[in-house]
Amino acid sequence: MLDQKFVRDNLEAVIQNCDLKNVHIDLEEYSTKEQRRREIIQSTQELRNKRNTVSQEIALAKKNGQNADAIIADMRSVATQIKEEEVELKEIEDYLQDILLHIPNMLHESVPHGKTEDENIEIRRHGDTTVNVEGVDHVELCSRHKLVDFARAAKISGSGFAVYTGKGAQLERALINYMLDYNRDAGYTEVMTPQLVNTEAMTGTGQLPKFEEDLYKCAHDDLYLIPTAEVSITNLHAQETLSFDQVPTRYTGFSSCFRREAGSYGKETRGLHRLHQFHKVELVSFTRPEESYDELERMVSHVESLLKSLNIPYRVILLCSGDTTFGSAKTYDIEAWSPIEQRWLEISSCSNLTDYQARRAGIRYKPQSNSKPEFVHTLNGSSLATPRLMISLLENNQKSFGIEIPEVLHSYISFKEV
RNA sequence: GGAAAGAUGCCGGAGUGGUCGAACGGGCUCGCCUGGAAAGCGAGUGUGCCCUCACGGGUACCGAGGGUUCGAAUCCCUCUCUUUCCGCCA
């Protein structure tokens, strides 16, 4: 959420920014109501001031045994007036709040302008993309080696789910453990958080109210299944003020991720490409505002080092304005190479949300031990989402005899090849 | 799921309708004292919003939301959470 005052003072820039992100909002009515809001507040405050003053006079009169009936009768109309103004104010503030929650975060100046993903910019790439182009794809590999059973997953849950079996299940578990350890060793504190969260948490990180239809909801209990651990980890510090020495704070956590993926059909959804439930290890940082863009670079290189250690060819993409998500000021995607499909697969997304989530969720810190609290900057990134990692890993490591397990995973798994 | 108790500022803890943004204690910050420290003494110490160039002023906030009243931390209703006991359960 943007600061209300910022929107008031920078209306043109905010409108332009909405355009750049392909978000269409009418801010003309907002502007009018914003002004009306301040008028009412001024008027109501004056009335309250009067009420407070006179109430004390009444108390004093009663104390002295004087009759205060006339003033009380007078104050009755003031009370009514206050109530009327409060009703209008509430209506206006609800409206303004709703609009504010639908305004995207301001983009960083370094983000290239563009409408679609075609205008994203490749920053760098690493690894050999010429090996194993002659092999078979991950769906065939999964079936041949009985690593994933899509048919039975469909039987029990429908399309878009996976049952990992045998060595497939072990490999999945090994990857998760390896990534968690790798992140922990780099200074991220490991957390294991709830996968069902309430409306406040979903609003705090920005999934609600705009993206409700992408979420699974448990209507009975008013809880949502998280689409990413970013939600529960970022909200760990919602409505808190961190002390100066708690910033930066870095977390890593594993979770299942649940996404309805309404409207996704066709080739993009084949095999492990797009699932309703998948596994992901997440990184979340809370930083000082002046350090958040350094933190973003740091996070990206950390994820890169993880991919290097697994010997996965990848490239780093800077998303253009139109492709940068709602709450993000700047996002890098990291894509792993699929040698069989001959294309790059989005496997991680690292974003600086600046103070956008912090303001929604009320996450502050004190720059110094005795200074006023300010909003932190929050960042998150995947390290990594397993399904497409699995695709790339299986395809890149297939040999004549089967699949070779990368060396860094050997201590996490009971076999060296499939 | 049933029963009971509770939720107040950074922490502990008063306060049951009228100068209560909130006593008191602790913590913290600054100053004095000291060779230095401790102890002691003095001052200060929340957040949001509105008005103001500013100084400053106003207003709201005592778990959340409603209600009663001229006036609510205090009374009423609903909800959430915590603790204890019972039930159920991996």
Side-chain angles (χ1 to χ4, degrees), chain A residues 33-277:
Chain A
K33 293 211 174 182
E34 211 278 333
Q35 192 167 342
R36 175 68 187 146
R37 165 179 174 267
R38 278 177 291 152
E39 287 169 10
I40 299 179
I41 285 176
Q42 283 176 52
S43 156
T44 309
Q45 285 191 357
E46 278 172 34
L47 288 170
R48 285 195 175 128
N49 183 231
K50 183 177 178 187
R51 181 179 72 185
N52 290 344
T53 315
V54 177
S55 285
Q56 283 182 17
E57 287 170 17
I58 293 171
L60 204 66
K62 289 203 164 179
K63 206 173 171 182
N64 295 335
Q66 295 163 351
N67 186 307
D69 291 353
I71 327 177
I72 290 175
D74 215 35
M75 290 314 289
R76 214 163 270 156
S77 71
V78 174
T80 312
Q81 206 177 335
I82 290 175
K83 214 156 271 179
E84 279 169 9
E85 291 191 359
E86 276 173 349
V87 171
E88 189 187 349
L89 185 63
K90 174 101 175 42
E91 210 170 281
I92 288 176
E93 298 219 299
D94 286 350
Y95 168 85
L96 295 175
Q97 186 69 13
D98 186 58
I99 298 291
L100 278 173
L101 288 174
H102 283 85
I103 297 177
N105 196 8
M106 299 298 286
L107 290 157
H108 189 251
E109 56 189 14
S110 63
V111 173
H113 292 187
K115 282 281 171 198
T116 67
E117 60 181 8
D118 299 336
E119 289 164 272
N120 294 342
I121 293 175
E122 180 176 322
I123 303 293
R124 56 184 171 268
R125 60 170 74 180
H126 178 273
D128 190 352
T129 55
T130 62
V131 296
N132 272 355
V133 294
E134 296 300 317
V136 295
D137 77 354
H138 82 279
V139 177
E140 174 60 24
L141 287 170
C142 285
S143 145
R144 197 178 284 178
H145 300 290
K146 297 188 169 20
L147 302 177
V148 181
D149 187 337
F150 291 104
R152 290 202 169 87
K155 178 172 67 180
I156 58 179
S157 301
S159 74
F161 291 88
V163 171
Y164 294 83
T165 56
K167 289 183 172 177
Q170 283 187 63
L171 180 56
E172 177 79 358
R173 179 157 57 87
L175 280 169
I176 292 163
N177 284 335
Y178 170 66
M179 296 188 294
L180 281 170
D181 285 351
Y182 190 90
N183 296 340
R184 188 202 56 216
D185 289 345
Y188 292 86
T189 303
E190 185 174 344
V191 288
M192 203 174 270
T193 51
Q195 315 208 14
L196 267 63
V197 302
N198 59 29
T199 303
E200 291 76 63
M202 280 294 185
T203 307
T205 34
Q207 281 72 24
L208 290 177
K210 195 169 157 56
F211 302 104
E212 170 135 37
E213 62 182 32
D214 299 334
L215 302 171
Y216 286 102
K217 181 176 188 180
C218 307
H220 272 310
D221 300 290
D222 216 14
L223 291 168
Y224 294 87
L225 277 75
I226 55 172
T228 156
E230 164 200 345
V231 177
S232 25
I233 300 179
T234 303
N235 277 291
L236 238 32
H237 292 300
Q239 307 305 326
E240 287 183 18
T241 300
L242 304 173
S243 70
F244 65 100
D245 55 358
Q246 276 179 287
V247 185
T249 292
R250 303 187 175 97
Y251 292 112
T252 185
F254 159 79
S255 84
S256 293
C257 301
F258 304 91
R259 302 186 180 182
R260 290 189 64 228
E261 302 289 0
S264 304
Y265 302 104
K267 204 175 174 204
E268 292 281 309
T269 67
R270 201 172 125 73
L272 290 169
H273 274 291
R274 190 177 292 273
L275 300 172
H276 289 305
Q277 175 181 346

Side-chain angles (χ1 to χ4, degrees), chain A residues 270-289:
Chain A
R270 201 172 125 73
L272 290 169
H273 274 291
R274 190 177 292 273
L275 300 172
H276 289 305
Q277 175 181 346
F278 62 93
H279 301 138
K280 180 158 64 66
V281 172
E282 185 76 356
L283 304 170
V284 173
S285 296
F286 300 82
T287 74
R288 293 169 180 267

